[in-house]
Amino acid sequence: MATVLVTGASRGIGLALARRAAARGDTVIACARDPEAADLAGLDGVRREPVDVADPETCAALARRLEGETIDLLICNAGVYVGRGRIDDAAFAPEDWAGTFAVNVAGVFHTVRALRPLMRRPGGRIAVISSRMGSNAEAGGGSYIYRASKAAATNLATNLALDLKPEGIAVASYHPGWVRTDMGGDAADISVGESAAGLLTRFDALDLETSGVFEAWDGRRIPF
């Protein structure tokens, strides 16, 4: 049994990860801006906590509330996707760039920095939910804000892996697949259940030897 903390747990992949981890017997701390969101509030046996990952003070407040507890697996899942168009589209306002990077990149950093003292040593694991859309090697054009933010998140995870390895904490980034969620749309390839099951398998396999990897939900290595 492990203690698992998930950010962005009120819907989509985060909710599915919280649900599946709880079902297998893990102690789950599900974090969201609105922890009373209907789907999350309906989960039995899951501790719900408020946090806005873009606000470092709420991350620090979360750490204070959890003082004395040990986190085995931290899943940095909170994310936003705006600006899906191409270069001539009017979808790339400055506030969209700033807001996306505040959540998708800085939010990972704020979360990890605040909760790092609570991570198990050795054996703690941090999973950053990124996307193959942030891969330079698999660039597909368009969606510039999201792609750039996920490239930055993957880079952040790689550097955190280097810095936290001496402490016995492994860090990696993961592509959840093209998932049928509000973000992924109905035409996506896989269900949230398939994605969550695959991701948890990958998280369970993460250790100091594989720290720094960038993998898909099914174990495929993603070139960066």
Side-chain angles (χ1 to χ4, degrees):
M1 307 301 177
T3 295
V4 179
L5 188 146
V6 187
T7 65
S10 62
R11 61 179 183 168
I13 296 168
L15 179 64
L17 286 167
R19 179 180 286 120
R20 186 167 289 269
R24 72 180 192 177
D26 292 332
T27 298
V28 176
I29 304 168
C31 300
R33 286 182 295 179
D34 178 13
E36 299 306 318
D39 289 339
L40 182 55
L43 286 186
D44 293 330
V46 170
R47 176 175 174 178
R48 302 187 303 277
E49 291 284 351
V51 72
D52 178 354
V53 299
D55 180 354
E57 178 48 41
T58 73
C59 296
L62 172 64
R64 290 192 293 269
R65 292 194 300 274
L66 298 178
E67 187 174 0
E69 302 186 42
T70 301
I71 299 170
D72 298 288
L73 171 61
L74 169 59
I75 305 174
C76 296
N77 168 76
V80 294
Y81 187 174
V82 297
R84 298 175 183 241
R86 296 278 175 166
I87 192 166
D88 292 325
D89 294 331
F92 304 106
E95 57 269 26
D96 291 336
W97 282 94
T100 298
F101 272 74
V103 175
N104 293 3
V105 187
V108 174
F109 177 76
H110 297 324
T111 302
V112 171
R113 184 161 70 169
L115 298 178
R116 172 187 166 207
L118 306 180
M119 297 297 299
R120 182 173 298 283
R121 291 173 173 80
R125 291 161 288 141
I126 299 173
V128 176
I129 303 301
S130 184
S131 171
R132 65 180 291 185
M133 288 180 68
S135 166
N136 295 313
E138 298 189 4
S143 298
Y144 307 107
I145 301 176
Y146 185 75
R147 288 184 186 277
S149 73
K150 288 304 185 179
T154 302
N155 179 276
L156 175 60
T158 302
N159 283 281
L160 287 171
L162 291 172
D163 288 343
L164 297 182
K165 188 172 185 177
E167 300 182 22
I169 299 172
V171 186
S173 48
Y174 298 91
H175 168 57
W178 185 20
V179 186
R180 292 189 291 275
T181 62
D182 290 343
M183 184 182 292
D186 293 337
D189 293 332
I190 60 173
S191 69
V192 289
E194 290 175 289
S195 176
L199 287 170
L200 283 176
T201 298
R202 303 319 310 154
F203 303 162
D204 289 343
L206 176 61
D207 59 21
L208 293 178
E209 292 300 314
T210 56
S211 189
V213 299
F214 184 17
E215 291 182 332
W217 66 282
D218 58 0
R220 180 174 67 89
R221 292 291 177 96
I222 305 292
F224 183 54

